Amino acid sequence: MVSIKDVAKKAGVSVGVVSKAFNNYPDVGKETRKRIMDIAQELDYSPNRIARNLSSKKNSAISLISSGFEENDQKDNNSFELFKGIYFGSQQLNLDFSIYFTDSFKQQEQSYVQFCRERNIGGAILQGIKLDDPFFKEMVDTNVPCVLIDVVMDEPQSCVGSVTIQNRKATEDLTAYLIERGHRDIAIMAGTKEAYVNEERLKGVQDALLKHGLTFEDKMLFYADFDDQQAYEKAKTYLKTHRPTAFVCLSDLMAYGVMKAAQELGLSVPEDVSVVGFDNSMIAGMTTPTITTIAQDFFEMGRQSALLLNRIVNGESKENEIYLNYELLERESVQDFTNSDRKEHES
Amino acid sequence: MVSIKDVAKKAGVSVGVVSKAFNNYPDVGKETRKRIMDIAQELDYSPNRIARNLSSKKNSAISLISSGFEENDQKDNNSFELFKGIYFGSQQLNLDFSIYFTDSFKQQEQSYVQFCRERNIGGAILQGIKLDDPFFKEMVDTNVPCVLIDVVMDEPQSCVGSVTIQNRKATEDLTAYLIERGHRDIAIMAGTKEAYVNEERLKGVQDALLKHGLTFEDKMLFYADFDDQQAYEKAKTYLKTHRPTAFVCLSDLMAYGVMKAAQELGLSVPEDVSVVGFDNSMIAGMTTPTITTIAQDFFEMGRQSALLLNRIVNGESKENEIYLNYELLERESVQDFTNSDRKEHES
DNA sequence: CTGTTAGCGCGTTCAA
DNA sequence: TTGAACGCGCTAACAG
């Protein structure tokens, strides 16, 4: 392995100068620098980042700590998009990026700070963690810079940032969209009770309902753990005895489950029952009918997280909460009662 | 940051002993070892892997080098499964795992060996690369251990392994499945010409056709780049003037595209045209009808890759080519002409 | 069994 | 502008 010594020797200078040349120090002779660089190229040398980190004490590495990804994401590529976004963000910043998946089924999980310490990781992006996770608390206590995906802390911490969309506003828009099209009898397929996004999205639905003078009834609220199968089962049971005009589903996967239940019962979507989803997962555009949903850009979310984390690490962050744009994507799964032939005219 | 010195000092021993204690050297007093471990725990110390790697010169890290993932995988989570498999495999071996995504659109890509050298990476798993990739050649020339996903080299190299399924056999089975059910007029939706898996799968289709006395006609072969949209367009054009009884698609995504085309033309699947796919992507079970396909376990593929790579790195690999099992998954997208009511009876 | 020493490859003083 | 020396946190010889 060719090291800094080799190029120093060949260039007839000391290693210190080579190091400086590579780190853009100003006090290196122009002529010398060029010679060093040429020789480095010739020898196919590039500085070892491992050693560099160790020596400089600057940890130019960030990490994604992802919890509970196992359960749902097999059917979803949102996490992967997020992941890629983080990767590209860190590439952009020339940071090294490592990951740490942690799961409920793993018996002896390692503390997040320990994970970071062992690898000289300067900060982490946390996905899928719960706010009461003791390891997360340790991160905050130890002042390890964090960026949370889709979670916002009650009391802001200087070392903790958040990247998310306005989930509450998004479901309010989504529900209002249904109400404006004449829907009054709206059932809700929620995800996991404890999840932050679930709470937010649920509030949004409630907001819309109340604003339009409708009531939020517990009887019409179901929890399906963001899982299509569970959504399918709950919807099927419910639809056997009730006939809401629409389902607001807090994820596309669950929307798929609901549509399947409806269709198996001989109901057609959206004529007999409308369905809306959330996320714009890949499947949302592939089902029959395609699902009207809230589109969010997970890749961008990941990228922004990396950038924000880097700012926090460097103490140059002014605003620790980033809200990304979302978009209501109109597709085929909603019936418009107010003007059923408008669609025809418009297209 | 608490380092090895701190625990050495507190334990009243030298750093050497602490190091040995942590690396399970036999020549450490039982009593001393316990004291050291206790103090380490108390101080919340764990060895820094960065420094450890640097010092030991053992690079306990592997990497996934993934090329061209950008194009199709947005719609597919196979890559993510693979990725998770590799992660779990490396976890199992207590290796550090890093990734390197590279893309056609990235102008100045970094050489793979350089990437590895900078990070003390002992070997890499390569996905989506082409055999004539100069960077890959460099890896082989430099003797960097590699494991190829879904590609098998013509001439085996001691430092190169492969993990894949018998793609050729799989499509042969798949095509035979159609033929046995009375299909004779079979169109083929292939992926990308240059891709290794594409070639293999194509050969398999041909094998089945020839074995059953059918001919392989170029007129019925289409290339859609593993993309659903392209498959949709090609199928639509073709179906306007021809009526094959079945489409063999070399990926589920393309199968989806073909089904969509057929359905938009008023044909029903499988009554008017049967469709089979490949991969058992998540969508294969969610379309209407669900897609009969070849299921392969990408997670396991990733995990096996990590294990194999580790063996190659340590020079303990006997067999460098691993063929995983696949399974023909019967679902709803195929019409059985020979015995149309058998299904009823069986279920 | 334990302590000492010399690096690993590099960044960063401080002199020169 | 350059070189020598030290240290990052750790492992691995080699003494003792």
Side-chain angles (χ1 to χ4, degrees):
Chain A
M1 163 172 269
V2 36
S3 84
I4 197 171
K5 280 184 195 164
D6 302 311
V7 6
K9 193 183 296 173
K10 186 145 187 179
V13 293
S14 75
V15 293
V17 185
V18 179
S19 173
K20 283 178 184 170
F22 266 92
N23 291 286
N24 294 319
Y25 274 63
D27 56 347
V28 177
K30 205 176 170 187
E31 182 52 43
T32 328
R33 164 169 278 131
K34 180 168 169 24
R35 185 155 39 90
I36 290 174
M37 287 322 208
D38 285 349
I39 290 185
Q41 181 125 35
E42 186 188 327
L43 260 45
D44 201 19
Y45 166 80
S46 57
N48 185 305
R49 301 166 80 108
I50 304 290
R52 184 180 267 193
N53 278 355
L54 186 61
S55 171
S56 70
K57 298 291 293 168
K58 278 181 206 144
N59 22 25
S60 62
I62 63 171
S63 168
L64 165 64
I65 295 174
S66 182
S67 160
F69 75 101
E70 185 79 346
E71 289 114 43
N72 281 296
D73 295 346
Q74 289 185 351
K75 301 186 184 161
D76 217 314
N77 65 337
N78 301 341
S79 298
F80 196 32
E81 283 299 304
L82 183 76
F83 174 82
K84 289 194 288 190
I86 299 174
Y87 175 80
F88 274 90
S90 50
Q91 279 260 114
Q92 201 174 324
L93 297 165
N94 199 24
L95 298 174
D96 253 37
F97 169 45
S98 61
I99 44 164
Y100 179 33
F101 286 148
T102 168
D103 267 300
S104 38
F105 72 81
K106 274 169 67 182
Q107 303 94 342
Q108 51 159 348
E109 304 190 64
Q110 194 184 18
S111 138
Y112 305 156
V113 301
Q114 187 181 346
F115 175 83
C116 292
R117 220 174 30 211
E118 287 183 0
R119 293 165 177 75
N120 289 6
I121 287 171
I125 295 167
L126 305 184
Q127 184 220 10
I129 51 106
K130 299 186 181 67
L131 283 175
D132 59 357
D133 183 333
F135 288 148
F136 168 58
K137 282 186 176 148
E138 189 189 3
M139 294 281 273
V140 177
D141 290 344
T142 328
N143 253 9
V144 180
C146 296
V147 165
L148 306 176
I149 300 290
D150 261 350
V151 179
V152 180
M153 290 192 80
D154 295 332
E155 34 189 277
Q157 303 275 342
S158 62
C159 68
V160 181
S162 287
V163 177
T164 180
I165 64 165
Q166 300 271 19
N167 279 283
R168 184 169 182 168
K169 187 74 177 57
T171 42
E172 187 188 330
D173 292 357
L174 193 59
T175 311
Y177 174 89
L178 287 173
I179 299 173
E180 285 161 10
R181 277 155 189 74
H183 294 269
R184 292 292 174 273
D185 195 2
I186 299 175
I188 304 158
M189 189 60 70
T192 313
K193 255 181 186 145
E194 305 76 31
Y196 179 86
V197 287
N198 189 70
E199 285 178 19
E200 289 296 304
R201 293 178 191 174
L202 216 45
K203 285 182 199 160
V205 177
Q206 210 161 356
D207 290 346
L209 256 26
L210 295 180
K211 275 191 190 168
H212 290 82
L214 300 174
T215 53
F216 182 84
E217 290 178 61
D218 277 347
K219 290 182 299 182
M220 310 194 60
L221 172 62
F222 308 93
Y223 289 94
D225 234 13
F226 291 117
D227 178 66
D228 57 333
Q229 188 58 30
Q230 283 190 48
Y232 163 79
E233 286 160 13
K234 305 237 163 151
K236 197 151 189 182
T237 309
Y238 186 67
L239 286 172
K240 277 181 182 156
T241 52
H242 297 74
R243 186 79 9 115
T245 63
F247 263 94
V248 174
C249 304
L250 269 34
S251 82
D252 290 331
L253 212 52
M254 295 193 295
Y256 162 76
V258 170
M259 294 204 324
K260 190 173 156 198
Q263 287 163 347
E264 282 188 11
L265 290 170
L267 302 172
S268 49
V269 182
E271 288 76 11
D272 298 318
V273 53
S274 296
V275 175
V276 294
F278 204 104
D279 283 344
N280 191 27
S281 298
M282 145 204 140
I283 54 148
M286 305 180 90
T287 49
T288 320
T290 54
I291 304 172
T292 292
T293 190
I294 297 289
Q296 50 178 330
D297 186 344
F298 289 101
F299 183 91
E300 182 61 13
M301 191 176 275
R303 209 178 62 85
Q304 291 287 349
S305 305
L307 302 184
L308 173 59
L309 179 57
N310 187 243
R311 269 179 266 136
I312 294 177
V313 170
N314 295 329
E316 50 188 53
S317 172
K318 294 163 288 280
E319 185 54 70
N320 277 11
E321 287 172 19
I322 294 181
Y323 289 96
L324 263 41
N325 292 327
Y326 61 86
E327 189 190 351
L328 202 166
L329 228 58
E330 289 193 66
R331 284 205 271 238
E332 308 165 348
S333 63
V334 174
Q335 171 82 325
D336 187 344
F337 291 120
T338 63
N339 190 358
S340 54
D341 55 356
R342 187 170 66 181
K343 215 170 181 180
E344 262 49 57
H345 289 231
E346 275 182 354
S347 62
Chain B
M1 163 172 268
V2 35
S3 83
I4 198 172
K5 281 184 195 163
D6 301 312
V7 8
K9 194 184 295 172
K10 187 146 189 181
V13 293
S14 73
V15 291
V17 185
V18 179
S19 173
K20 284 180 183 172
F22 266 92
N23 291 286
N24 294 318
Y25 274 65
D27 55 347
V28 178
K30 205 176 170 189
E31 183 52 45
T32 327
R33 163 169 277 133
K34 180 168 166 26
R35 186 155 37 90
I36 289 174
M37 288 321 211
D38 285 349
I39 291 187
Q41 180 126 35
E42 185 188 329
L43 260 44
D44 201 19
Y45 165 80
S46 59
N48 183 305
R49 301 166 81 106
I50 304 290
R52 182 180 270 190
N53 279 353
L54 186 61
S55 173
S56 70
K57 298 292 295 167
K58 280 182 204 141
N59 22 26
S60 62
I62 63 170
S63 168
L64 165 65
I65 295 175
S66 181
S67 160
F69 74 101
E70 184 79 347
E71 288 114 43
N72 281 296
D73 295 346
Q74 289 185 348
K75 300 185 184 162
D76 218 313
N77 66 338
N78 300 342
S79 298
F80 196 32
E81 283 300 305
L82 183 75
F83 173 81
K84 288 194 290 191
I86 298 173
Y87 176 80
F88 274 90
S90 50
Q91 279 259 117
Q92 201 175 321
L93 297 164
N94 198 24
L95 299 174
D96 254 37
F97 169 46
S98 62
I99 42 162
Y100 179 35
F101 285 148
T102 167
D103 265 301
S104 38
F105 72 82
K106 275 170 66 183
Q107 303 92 343
Q108 48 158 348
E109 304 190 64
Q110 195 184 16
S111 138
Y112 305 155
V113 301
Q114 187 181 345
F115 175 83
C116 292
R117 221 173 30 211
E118 287 183 1
R119 287 152 235 269
N120 290 5
I121 287 171
I125 295 166
L126 306 184
Q127 183 219 11
I129 49 106
K130 300 184 180 70
L131 283 175
D132 58 359
D133 183 334
F135 288 149
F136 167 58
K137 283 188 177 147
E138 189 189 1
M139 296 280 273
V140 178
D141 290 343
T142 329
N143 252 11
V144 180
C146 297
V147 166
L148 306 177
I149 301 288
D150 260 351
V151 179
V152 179
M153 290 192 80
D154 296 331
E155 35 189 277
Q157 304 274 342
S158 64
C159 68
V160 180
S162 288
V163 178
T164 179
I165 63 166
Q166 300 269 19
N167 279 283
R168 184 169 180 168
K169 189 72 176 56
T171 42
E172 185 187 331
D173 291 357
L174 193 59
T175 310
Y177 175 88
L178 287 174
I179 298 173
E180 285 160 9
R181 276 156 190 74
H183 293 269
R184 292 292 175 272
D185 195 4
I186 300 174
I188 303 158
M189 189 60 71
T192 314
K193 257 182 187 146
E194 303 78 31
Y196 180 85
V197 285
N198 189 72
E199 284 176 20
E200 288 295 303
R201 293 179 191 173
L202 216 45
K203 284 181 201 161
V205 177
Q206 210 161 355
D207 290 345
L209 255 26
L210 296 181
K211 274 189 193 170
H212 290 81
L214 300 174
T215 52
F216 182 82
E217 290 179 59
D218 278 348
K219 291 183 298 183
M220 310 194 61
L221 172 62
F222 307 94
Y223 289 94
D225 233 12
F226 290 117
D227 179 64
D228 56 333
Q229 187 60 31
Q230 283 189 48
Y232 164 79
E233 285 159 14
K234 304 235 164 153
K236 197 150 189 182
T237 308
Y238 185 67
L239 286 171
K240 275 178 184 158
T241 52
H242 299 74
R243 185 82 4 117
T245 63
F247 263 94
V248 174
C249 304
L250 269 33
S251 84
D252 289 332
L253 213 53
M254 295 193 296
Y256 162 75
V258 170
M259 294 204 325
K260 191 172 156 198
Q263 286 162 346
E264 282 187 13
L265 289 170
L267 302 173
S268 48
V269 182
E271 289 75 10
D272 298 318
V273 55
S274 296
V275 176
V276 294
F278 204 105
D279 282 344
N280 192 27
S281 298
M282 147 201 141
I283 55 148
M286 305 180 90
T287 48
T288 322
T290 53
I291 303 173
T292 291
T293 190
I294 297 288
Q296 50 177 328
D297 187 342
F298 290 100
F299 183 90
E300 182 61 11
M301 192 177 276
R303 208 179 62 85
Q304 290 288 350
S305 306
L307 302 184
L308 174 59
L309 180 57
N310 188 244
R311 267 179 268 135
I312 295 178
V313 169
N314 295 328
E316 51 190 51
S317 173
K318 291 162 291 280
E319 187 52 71
N320 278 11
E321 286 172 20
I322 295 181
Y323 290 95
L324 264 42
N325 292 327
Y326 62 85
E327 190 189 351
L328 202 167
L329 228 60
E330 288 193 66
R331 284 205 271 238
E332 309 164 348
S333 61
V334 173
Q335 171 82 327
D336 188 345
F337 291 120
T338 63
N339 189 358
S340 53
D341 56 355
R342 186 172 64 183
K343 214 171 181 179
E344 260 51 52
H345 290 230
E346 277 182 355
S347 64

